[in-house]
Amino acid sequence: MTARILVVDDVEPNVRLLEAKLTLEYYEVLTAGDGATALRIASDERPDIILLDVMMPGMDGFETCRRLKADPVTRHIPVVLVTALDGREDKIKGLEAGADDFVTKPIDDVILFARVRSLLRLKSVMDELREREESGRRLGVDTDGAGRLRGSGGRILIVDDNERQARKMIEHLAGEHRPTVESDPAAALIAARGPVDLMIVNVSSAEFDGLRFVAQTRSTEASRRTPILAVVDPADRPRLLKALELGVNDILPRPVDPEELEARTRTQIKRKRYADFLKEKLDYSLEMAVTDALTGLHNRRYMAGQLQGLMNRAGQGGEPVALLMMDLDHFKLVNDSFGHDAGDEVLREFAVRLATNVRAIDLPCRLGGEEFVVVMPGASLEDATHVADRIRRDVAAQPFPIMGGAEGLTITVSVGVAASTGLDDTPDALLKRADEGVYEAKARGRNQVIARAA
């Protein structure tokens, strides 16, 4: 994949070294020795990627990045900041300035080219969307927003047997995404068939062969296009190179740096969503039509379509489908006592707790108001009841922060559980049984799980 890359650094030997490395990989290289020149070249030449050094006299890399991202002509160009090895604060400041990625000095060639290839793929789909939007505007079609698909709210499958490492990744990602962990590669392969936006795989795992897992996902149709972020020891060069050869999209060095984890995750999820957008010929309004804007979960329309397909397969002898119907207890009192903004905070927090307590293959949705549903492919009534009770306990265990964390409310949820029964079962009947379970849970005093068999 060839491209034009703008290298910005005030140290001439650094510029020449990067220029030589990139030219050997058949990239066309432009150079600038200061921020002002970089802004002019970026505006005139429209490079595909900008490699921008942080430490420059006059206008430093952060200010240059801010100006690039503020200009409509250049804001779509990916910017990679080049930071010092211990420049953790630089990374944070760079991300706040709008940088898309960063590499550290001394620059590792393998890591650099992995970053460049990853961002070039992202830019290629972004450019295609921008062209479609422009064509639509010329034809008088309202396509504004097609390029706004974000790299947040992603469904992330972490495949790792290192419990401590996986837990830390969950902690850093849970505020912005919906991560789940699988330590068993066989179970992870099954989970990867679901709507997963990104897999983070420990290819240095002690208990399973991470490289073999990557190879298996790339040979399976359902997971072939799912981006993979490989966690690997940078000193283990053969494994790092093999992971890239097998098709991982990017490398995350151990020990995992939180800011780097978040930046790489956003890049991969954004690329996946843009690519999916193009592949399925969706527009922005359709994307919003199936997503609940408040919680980031899917909405009733999306749930109905997915449930119908799963029920059809179940009725033809396929795997069963279970369903959880949930209603927050006394939610009206929250709105009446603290206002609708506090109610929205509760709903968003509930969505996070809900999504982190279901399987990667499950589909959590908001029906509307304080009502939520989880569609569970392949789950029995007993399995679904167990998950429902786990959700109920997690909701009641810790107060829900409201008013920006100034107050905490004790919230509980009533849950109805139902599972498909065979050929004559329908989505409406399944939803009705689960809804009846919710009513019974409310009648019994709330904060309960009721399973309703046919």
Side-chain angles (χ1 to χ4, degrees):
M1 180 185 294
T2 187
R4 292 198 303 163
I5 300 177
L6 172 59
V7 177
V8 187
D9 197 322
D10 64 309
V11 179
E12 185 71 13
N14 291 346
V15 173
R16 296 307 165 208
L17 180 60
L18 268 177
E19 182 179 19
K21 290 180 178 181
L22 292 166
T23 302
L24 282 173
E25 294 294 322
Y26 302 102
Y27 294 111
E28 180 183 341
V29 182
L30 308 170
T31 64
D34 58 77
T37 304
L39 293 175
R40 178 180 56 78
I41 293 176
S43 180
D44 293 344
E45 300 294 335
R46 315 286 177 86
D48 296 296
I49 289 181
I50 300 173
L51 295 179
L52 178 61
D53 189 54
V54 168
M55 301 302 296
M56 294 188 297
M59 188 189 306
D60 64 15
F62 303 123
E63 180 60 25
T64 305
C65 184
R66 275 190 285 270
R67 295 194 186 189
L68 286 166
K69 294 303 182 180
D71 186 344
V73 174
T74 58
R75 67 174 47 149
H76 66 284
I77 303 173
V79 175
V80 181
L81 284 182
V82 181
T83 70
L85 184 60
D86 57 350
R88 189 169 185 272
E89 292 184 4
D90 288 348
K91 295 175 184 176
I92 298 172
K93 191 174 179 181
L95 293 173
E96 291 172 347
D100 299 272
D101 210 332
F102 44 80
V103 293
T104 57
K105 296 177 180 178
I107 296 176
D108 183 307
D109 293 358
V110 174
I111 298 295
L112 171 65
F113 293 128
R115 305 281 180 262
V116 167
R117 284 191 294 268
S118 176
L119 288 172
L120 284 175
R121 294 186 189 107
L122 172 61
K123 186 175 182 295
S124 69
V125 291
M126 289 176 68
D127 285 348
E128 187 171 346
L129 273 177
R130 289 173 61 246
E131 289 172 7
R132 289 192 182 189
E133 285 184 330
E134 184 59 34
S135 297
R137 278 191 288 270
R138 287 197 297 267
L139 293 170
V141 179
D142 181 15
T143 59
D144 185 42
R148 298 181 189 173
L149 296 176
R150 296 175 294 176
S152 60
R155 296 172 63 93
I156 301 172
L157 175 61
I158 299 173
V159 186
D160 196 347
D161 63 343
N162 185 327
E163 184 178 346
R164 183 170 177 272
Q165 178 173 269
R167 184 171 64 250
K168 284 192 173 184
M169 287 193 284
I170 286 278
E171 290 172 0
H172 291 300
L173 294 173
E176 190 176 355
H177 305 283
R178 289 176 277 157
T180 57
V181 177
E182 273 293 353
S183 59
D184 178 10
L189 281 172
I190 295 173
R193 300 173 190 167
V196 176
D197 294 309
L198 173 66
M199 284 187 282
I200 301 177
V201 181
N202 180 6
V203 297
S204 301
S205 170
E207 299 298 326
F208 64 88
D209 188 339
L211 293 175
R212 181 175 294 278
F213 176 81
V214 169
Q216 289 173 325
T217 60
R218 287 296 178 248
S219 63
T220 303
E221 179 61 33
S223 57
R224 184 170 295 153
R225 295 176 181 84
T226 304
I228 298 176
L229 186 56
V231 180
V232 63
D233 184 345
D236 189 352
R237 305 294 288 183
R239 187 175 295 272
L240 188 154
L241 293 169
K242 191 64 178 178
L244 289 168
E245 181 186 324
L246 289 170
V248 303
N249 299 80
D250 203 351
I251 296 294
L252 186 63
R254 295 175 61 186
V256 175
D257 178 83
E259 282 71 38
E260 186 162 2
L261 169 67
E262 292 164 10
R264 311 243 175 276
T265 296
R266 278 193 294 271
T267 295
Q268 294 303 325
I269 289 177
K270 186 185 293 185
R271 178 193 157 209
K272 166 77 161 47
R273 288 179 173 172
Y274 274 94
D276 287 348
F277 190 97
L278 290 172
K279 181 175 177 290
E280 298 170 15
K281 298 182 180 178
L282 295 174
D283 59 21
Y284 181 71
S285 60
L286 181 57
E287 174 74 9
M288 293 298 100
V290 298
T291 304
D292 176 61
L294 177 64
T295 64
L297 301 179
H298 289 299
N299 62 14
R300 180 191 292 267
R301 177 183 298 179
Y302 186 83
M303 181 277 298
Q306 295 296 307
L307 182 59
Q308 181 67 62
L310 291 167
M311 290 291 286
N312 289 343
R313 287 193 286 273
Q316 295 168 8
E319 290 184 326
V321 185
L323 187 136
L324 313 183
M325 178 85 74
M326 286 157 284
D327 190 280
L328 298 185
D329 297 326
H330 302 299
F331 183 73
K332 186 175 183 299
L333 289 178
V334 176
N335 285 332
D336 292 346
S337 302
F338 299 95
H340 287 278
D341 287 346
D344 288 349
E345 288 182 282
V346 168
L347 291 172
R348 283 192 290 266
E349 173 65 17
F350 177 78
V352 171
R353 297 193 191 188
L354 173 61
T356 54
N357 276 286
V358 298
R359 306 170 304 169
I361 199 173
D362 296 335
L363 186 67
C365 307
R366 183 185 178 204
L367 288 190
E370 66 271 30
E371 289 186 316
F372 294 78
V373 160
V374 178
V375 179
M376 302 182 66
S380 66
L381 187 66
E382 181 181 357
D383 293 336
T385 302
H386 177 74
V387 172
D389 198 55
R390 184 171 67 214
I391 295 168
R392 181 195 63 79
R393 292 196 307 271
D394 188 50
V395 169
Q398 296 290 334
F400 280 51
I402 62 170
M403 300 179 182
E407 298 282 346
L409 294 180
T410 298
I411 301 293
T412 61
V413 62
S414 297
V415 188
V417 185
S420 61
T421 58
L423 183 62
D424 297 328
D425 211 356
T426 66
D428 286 343
L430 188 66
L431 286 163
K432 182 179 180 182
R433 292 199 300 274
D435 195 39
E436 289 171 350
V438 173
Y439 276 101
E440 185 175 340
K442 298 279 190 185
R444 291 190 182 187
R446 296 180 170 83
N447 190 25
Q448 296 190 36
V449 173
I450 301 294
R452 296 298 295 265

